[in-house]
Coordinates of all heavy atoms in Angstrom, one line a residue:
G22 N 107.5 144.1 82.7 CA 108.8 144.1 82.1 C 109.2 142.9 81.3 O 108.5 141.8 81.6
T23 N 110.2 142.9 80.5 CA 110.5 141.8 79.6 C 112.0 141.6 79.4 O 112.4 140.9 78.6 CB 109.8 141.9 78.3 OG1 110.4 143.1 77.6 CG2 108.3 142.0 78.3
W24 N 112.8 142.3 80.3 CA 114.3 142.2 80.1 C 114.6 140.7 80.4 O 114.2 140.0 81.4 CB 115.0 143.0 81.1 CG 116.4 143.3 80.7 CD1 117.1 142.8 79.8 CD2 117.4 143.9 81.6 NE1 118.4 143.2 79.8 CE2 118.7 143.9 80.9 CE3 117.4 144.5 82.9 CZ2 119.8 144.4 81.5 CZ3 118.6 144.9 83.5 CH2 119.7 144.9 82.7
D52 N 106.7 146.5 78.6 CA 108.0 147.3 78.5 C 109.0 146.4 77.8 O 109.4 145.4 78.4 CB 108.5 147.8 79.8 CG 109.8 148.5 79.7 OD1 109.7 149.7 79.2 OD2 110.9 148.1 80.0
Y57 N 117.2 144.6 74.6 CA 117.1 143.3 75.3 C 117.2 142.1 74.5 O 116.5 141.9 73.5 CB 115.6 143.3 76.1 CG 115.6 144.5 77.0 CD1 114.2 144.8 77.6 CD2 116.5 145.1 77.6 CE1 113.9 145.8 78.4 CE2 116.3 146.2 78.5 CZ 115.1 146.5 78.9 OH 114.8 147.5 79.9
H115 N 116.7 155.2 75.9 CA 117.0 154.2 77.0 C 117.9 154.8 78.2 O 117.7 154.7 79.3 CB 117.7 153.0 76.5 CG 117.6 151.7 77.2 ND1 117.5 150.5 76.6 CD2 117.4 151.5 78.6 CE1 117.2 149.6 77.6 NE2 117.2 150.1 78.7
S144 N 114.4 157.6 79.9 CA 114.8 156.6 81.0 C 116.1 156.9 81.5 O 117.0 157.4 80.9 CB 114.8 155.2 80.4 OG 115.1 154.3 81.3
N145 N 116.2 156.7 82.7 CA 117.3 156.9 83.6 C 117.8 158.5 83.5 O 119.0 158.8 83.6 CB 118.5 156.1 83.0 CG 118.3 154.6 83.3 OD1 118.0 154.2 84.4 ND2 118.2 153.8 82.1
Q167 N 111.5 156.6 82.8 CA 111.5 155.2 83.4 C 112.9 155.2 84.2 O 113.9 155.3 83.7 CB 111.5 154.3 82.4 CG 111.4 152.9 83.0 CD 111.4 151.8 81.9 OE1 112.3 151.0 81.7 NE2 110.3 151.6 81.1
Y195 N 111.2 151.0 87.2 CA 111.7 149.6 86.8 C 112.4 148.9 88.0 O 112.7 149.5 89.0 CB 112.6 149.8 85.5 CG 114.1 150.3 85.7 CD1 115.1 149.6 86.4 CD2 114.3 151.6 85.0 CE1 116.5 150.1 86.4 CE2 115.7 152.0 85.0 CZ 116.7 151.4 85.7 OH 117.9 151.8 85.8
S196 N 112.7 147.6 87.7 CA 113.1 146.8 88.8 C 112.3 147.0 90.1 O 112.9 147.2 91.3 CB 114.7 147.0 89.1 OG 115.4 146.8 88.0
P197 N 111.0 147.1 90.2 CA 110.2 147.3 91.4 C 110.4 146.3 92.4 O 110.0 146.5 93.6 CB 108.8 147.5 90.8 CG 108.7 146.7 89.6 CD 110.2 146.8 89.0
L198 N 110.9 145.1 92.1 CA 111.0 144.0 93.0 C 112.4 143.8 93.3 O 112.8 142.7 93.8 CB 110.4 142.7 92.3 CG 108.9 142.7 92.0 CD1 108.4 141.5 91.2 CD2 108.1 143.0 93.1
A199 N 113.2 144.9 93.1 CA 114.7 144.8 93.4 C 115.5 143.7 92.7 O 116.5 143.4 93.2 CB 114.9 144.6 94.9
Q200 N 114.8 143.4 91.6 CA 115.6 142.2 90.6 C 116.0 141.0 91.2 O 115.7 140.0 90.6 CB 116.8 143.2 90.1 CG 116.8 143.1 88.6 CD 118.1 143.5 87.9 OE1 119.2 143.6 88.6 NE2 118.1 143.7 86.6
R205 N 116.9 142.8 97.4 CA 115.8 141.9 97.3 C 115.7 141.1 98.6 O 114.6 141.0 99.2 CB 115.8 141.0 96.0 CG 115.0 139.6 96.1 CD 113.5 139.8 95.9 NE 113.3 140.2 94.5 CZ 113.0 139.5 93.5 NH1 113.0 138.2 93.7 NH2 112.8 140.1 92.2
L226 N 107.1 140.5 98.8 CA 107.3 141.3 97.5 C 106.0 142.0 97.0 O 106.1 142.9 96.2 CB 107.8 140.4 96.5 CG 109.4 140.0 96.5 CD1 109.7 139.2 95.4 CD2 110.3 141.3 96.7
I242 N 106.8 148.2 86.5 CA 106.8 147.3 85.4 C 107.6 146.1 85.9 O 108.6 145.8 85.4 CB 107.3 147.8 84.2 CG1 108.6 148.7 84.4 CG2 106.3 148.7 83.5 CD1 109.3 149.1 83.1
P243 N 107.0 145.3 86.9 CA 107.7 144.0 87.3 C 107.9 143.1 86.2 O 107.0 143.0 85.2 CB 106.9 143.4 88.4 CG 105.6 144.0 88.1 CD 105.7 145.3 87.5
K244 N 108.9 142.3 86.1 CA 109.1 141.2 85.1 C 108.8 139.9 85.6 O 109.5 139.5 86.8 CB 110.6 141.3 84.6 CG 110.8 140.2 83.5 CD 111.6 139.2 84.1 CE 111.9 138.0 83.2 NZ 112.5 136.7 83.9
A245 N 108.0 139.1 85.0 CA 107.6 137.8 85.7 C 107.5 136.9 84.5 O 106.6 136.9 83.7 CB 106.4 137.8 86.5
G246 N 108.4 135.8 84.5 CA 108.3 134.7 83.4 C 107.5 133.6 84.0 O 107.1 132.7 83.1
Q247 N 107.0 133.7 85.2 CA 106.2 132.6 85.7 C 104.8 132.9 86.1 O 104.7 134.0 86.6 CB 106.9 132.0 87.0 CG 108.4 131.5 86.9 CD 108.9 131.1 88.2 OE1 108.4 130.2 88.8 NE2 110.1 131.6 88.4
H250 N 104.1 134.1 89.5 CA 104.5 135.5 89.8 C 103.6 136.6 89.1 O 103.5 137.6 89.8 CB 106.0 135.7 89.3 CG 106.9 134.9 90.1 ND1 108.2 134.6 89.6 CD2 106.8 134.3 91.3 CE1 108.9 134.0 90.6 NE2 108.1 133.7 91.6
E253 N 100.6 137.0 91.3 CA 100.9 137.7 92.5 C 101.0 139.2 92.2 O 100.6 140.0 93.1 CB 102.2 137.1 93.2 CG 102.0 135.8 93.8 CD 103.2 135.1 94.2 OE1 104.4 135.8 94.2 OE2 103.3 134.0 94.6
N254 N 101.7 139.4 91.2 CA 101.9 140.9 90.9 C 100.6 141.7 90.6 O 100.4 142.8 91.0 CB 102.9 141.1 89.7 CG 104.3 140.5 90.1 OD1 104.6 140.3 91.3 ND2 105.1 140.3 89.1
Ligands
NDP301 P1 112.3 143.1 88.7 O1 112.5 143.9 90.0 O2 111.0 143.2 88.0 O3 112.5 141.6 89.1 C1 112.4 140.5 88.2 C2 112.6 139.2 88.9 O4 111.7 139.0 90.0 C3 112.4 138.0 88.0 O5 113.6 137.1 88.4 C4 111.2 137.4 88.4 O6 111.3 136.0 88.2 C5 111.0 137.8 89.8 N1 109.7 137.9 90.1 C6 108.7 138.6 89.5 N2 107.6 138.6 90.2 C7 107.8 138.0 91.3 C8 107.0 137.6 92.4 N3 105.8 138.0 92.5 N4 107.6 136.9 93.4 C9 108.9 136.7 93.4 N5 109.7 136.8 92.3 C10 109.1 137.5 91.3 O7 113.5 143.3 87.9 P2 113.8 143.8 86.4 O8 115.2 144.4 86.3 O9 113.4 142.9 85.4 O10 112.8 145.1 86.2 C11 111.5 145.1 85.6 C12 111.6 145.7 84.2 O11 111.9 147.0 84.1 C13 112.6 144.9 83.3 O12 112.2 143.6 82.8 C14 112.7 145.9 82.1 O13 111.5 145.8 81.2 C15 112.6 147.3 82.9 N6 114.1 147.8 83.1 C16 114.4 149.0 82.6 C17 115.6 149.5 82.7 C18 116.0 150.7 82.1 O14 117.2 151.1 82.0 N7 115.1 151.5 81.6 C19 116.7 148.7 83.6 C20 116.1 147.5 84.2 C21 114.8 147.1 84.0 P3 110.6 135.1 87.0 O15 110.8 135.9 85.7 O16 111.1 133.8 87.1 O17 109.0 135.1 87.2

Side-chain angles (χ1 to χ4, degrees):
T23 65
W24 194 10
D52 179 76
Y57 298 165
H115 209 147
S144 177
N145 296 302
Q167 185 180 112
Y195 75 67
S196 307
L198 303 173
Q200 235 192 10
R205 157 80 63 94
L226 284 182
I242 45 165
K244 176 259 177 188
Q247 299 179 49
H250 289 162
E253 288 171 8
N254 296 343

